[in-house]
Amino acid sequence: MVSAYVTALTTPVPQGVSADDRASSAFAQIALACTGCHGTSGQGVGSIPAINNIPESTFIRTMQEFKSGQRAATVMDRIAQGYNDRDFLELARFFRDRR
């Protein structure tokens, strides 16, 4: 998991992310950290759930629950600590319409 996270931070924006998406989202590079585990479009990989195409409120609530420890996790509780509510909103918007 850690190596996927580090790789995501140093990998160019995935093919599925258009130039318009890069320009319109200040969080495109931050979102790369998510794609290392959740897939290039947030579609989920194996047992790792999809984070695309879900309502912003669901995404934000889930991340807040990870951060507070209300939701059980193997690694997301620690990852969520590095983000604030504005980050959660921007990430939710970034992944909302991904396919």
Side-chain angles (χ1 to χ4, degrees), residues 17-97:
V17 179
S18 71
D20 289 340
D21 289 335
R22 286 188 295 248
S24 67
S25 176
F27 284 79
Q29 292 298 315
I30 292 173
L32 284 175
C34 305
T35 65
C37 295
H38 292 276
T40 57
S41 296
Q43 74 277 11
V45 177
S47 65
I48 298 172
I51 58 172
N52 62 349
N53 299 312
I54 60 174
E56 289 175 16
S57 59
T58 301
F59 186 101
I60 293 166
R61 184 182 66 250
T62 300
M63 293 301 291
Q64 289 170 334
E65 289 172 355
F66 281 134
K67 186 172 183 174
S68 70
Q70 290 176 300
R71 183 178 286 249
T74 56
V75 70
M76 283 305 302
D77 54 337
R78 294 183 299 280
I79 291 172
Q81 295 300 316
Y83 298 95
N84 59 42
D85 286 343
R86 176 68 182 178
D87 297 334
F88 295 152
L89 172 62
E90 292 298 329
L91 288 167
R93 288 177 176 167
F94 183 87
F95 285 107
R96 178 187 56 213
D97 299 321

